[in-house]
Amino acid sequence: MSMKHICGVLAAGAVLILAQPALADVKAGVDAWQQGDYVKAVAIWQPLAQSGDPDAQFNMGQAYKLGRGVKTDPSAAIDWYGKAARQGHARAEDNLGLLMFQQGDRAGALPYLQRAAERGEPRAQYIVGTALFNGDLTAKNWVRAYALMTRASESGLAQATASLRQMDKYIPQDQRNQAVAMARSIGQQNSSLAADEPRRPAPVMREAPAPVRSAQLPPSASSAPRTAEPAPRPAPAKTAAAKPPEARPTASKPALPKPASGGWRVQIGAFSAEARARTLWTQLSAKVGGLSGYQPYIMTSGGVTRLQAGPLASSADATRLCSAIKAAGAECMPKKM
């Protein structure tokens, strides 16, 4: 996965959130912006920003980034975002890191992006996850890389979902299990941070998120299979939950059928988002002994994603596998292909 493929993070269409606190003059600028009078909005915000108001500084950064009311100037946008960020304006810091990265200052952007990722910014999670996977600008950590990419995927970032599919080819199952647990912990932290953040009025407008081009994920040193490049041992992370023990069949339970070619599969569920199907597969692989030996099939049609596993040689084999999956708490149905 090369960081060269993640340019354009803040191209046209990036999320626009204007700060509009109770201060009447700043809100007057927001009202003017909402009505399409960008020149008036900038004229209101500029003296306030120069006097040190962080919301006005953030809004000036937005104006310069998008070229509304002023000529597009990424350097000026970075300057205004930086001034607001130094006063603790979290959204300004998020935008600062993303714009610095887009402008080519990847090393300078990384600390801001790491903090933005911790706050739950999906584009930052995608970029930092890519860096951690490659060991680019930071130490390689496949567990945290997969966890951040999972969070970005669950937020609806399609490029993160595509990257997860490629990561699956190289990251061992036990590290993916750890990553899923870490992703849950990160989600809980994001919710806690959002609850503690000073409340600001609702944004006056949003634009569709900018597409982030999919990263190429083969290991940077080689395109060989996973066994040719052992996964690094990630440093213990406070947010990582303990690896769930692998369920092992006992003598009192029927043995699961061995993976084989055949015309049968089992359908484990249908979901509105592919990320949920992938998460369930990872969880069940840790609970159902032998399940990870089968091929997962994740198919999306008509807005519904179906998770299947196989192939199996017979209806009896599919039924036995379904019994083990149901015992782990999931739905399952044999399917003739």
Side-chain angles (χ1 to χ4, degrees), residues 46-288:
Q46 189 160 19
L48 298 170
Q50 290 172 339
S51 67
D53 184 282
D55 289 318
Q57 291 170 342
F58 170 70
N59 290 348
M60 287 296 297
Q62 296 288 69
Y64 275 107
K65 180 180 71 174
L66 297 173
R68 294 181 180 175
V70 290
K71 186 176 181 180
T72 302
D73 188 340
S75 296
I78 288 172
D79 182 58
W80 283 119
Y81 285 147
K83 290 177 179 178
R86 286 189 288 275
Q87 297 194 69
H89 199 294
R91 292 202 298 270
E93 186 173 66
D94 294 350
N95 281 268
L96 176 62
L98 291 164
L99 186 54
M100 288 176 65
F101 184 91
Q102 184 192 35
Q103 295 300 306
D105 186 3
R106 294 185 296 157
L110 188 61
Y112 299 113
L113 292 171
Q114 288 171 327
R115 288 192 289 273
E118 291 172 359
R119 282 191 292 268
E121 215 298 331
R123 291 167 296 169
Q125 290 172 332
Y126 173 66
I127 295 171
V128 175
T130 301
L132 289 167
F133 180 86
N134 284 331
D136 189 359
L137 303 175
T138 187
K140 185 180 291 188
N141 186 332
W142 281 3
V143 172
R144 187 161 181 80
Y146 198 90
L148 289 174
M149 202 66 72
T150 297
R151 290 296 303 166
S153 173
E154 290 174 348
S155 75
L157 194 63
Q159 293 84 354
T161 301
S163 292
L164 279 176
R165 282 197 294 267
Q166 296 182 56
M167 283 183 170
D168 283 343
K169 301 174 184 178
Y170 303 100
I171 300 179
Q173 184 67 53
D174 64 332
Q175 292 193 27
R176 281 183 275 158
N177 292 344
Q178 294 176 50
V180 169
M182 183 183 289
R184 287 196 297 268
S185 179
I186 291 172
Q188 293 169 356
Q189 288 184 343
N190 293 160
S191 298
S192 177
L193 287 172
D196 292 340
E197 184 180 2
R199 294 200 175 271
R200 297 177 182 272
V204 296
M205 64 179 294
R206 288 182 181 269
E207 297 177 0
V212 183
R213 286 185 288 181
S214 298
Q216 299 297 318
L217 285 174
S220 55
S222 169
S223 59
R226 183 173 69 219
T227 54
E229 181 180 340
R233 295 285 184 184
K238 293 182 179 180
T239 56
K243 172 186 171 184
E246 182 177 357
R248 298 182 181 277
T250 65
S252 61
K253 296 181 181 179
L256 291 179
K258 295 181 179 180
S261 60
W264 287 83
R265 296 180 188 173
V266 296
Q267 181 163 307
I268 303 173
F271 310 86
S272 60
E274 180 180 332
R276 295 181 181 176
R278 298 174 61 82
T279 298
L280 179 60
W281 175 258
T282 301
Q283 292 171 342
L284 288 176
S285 295
K287 294 179 180 179
V288 181

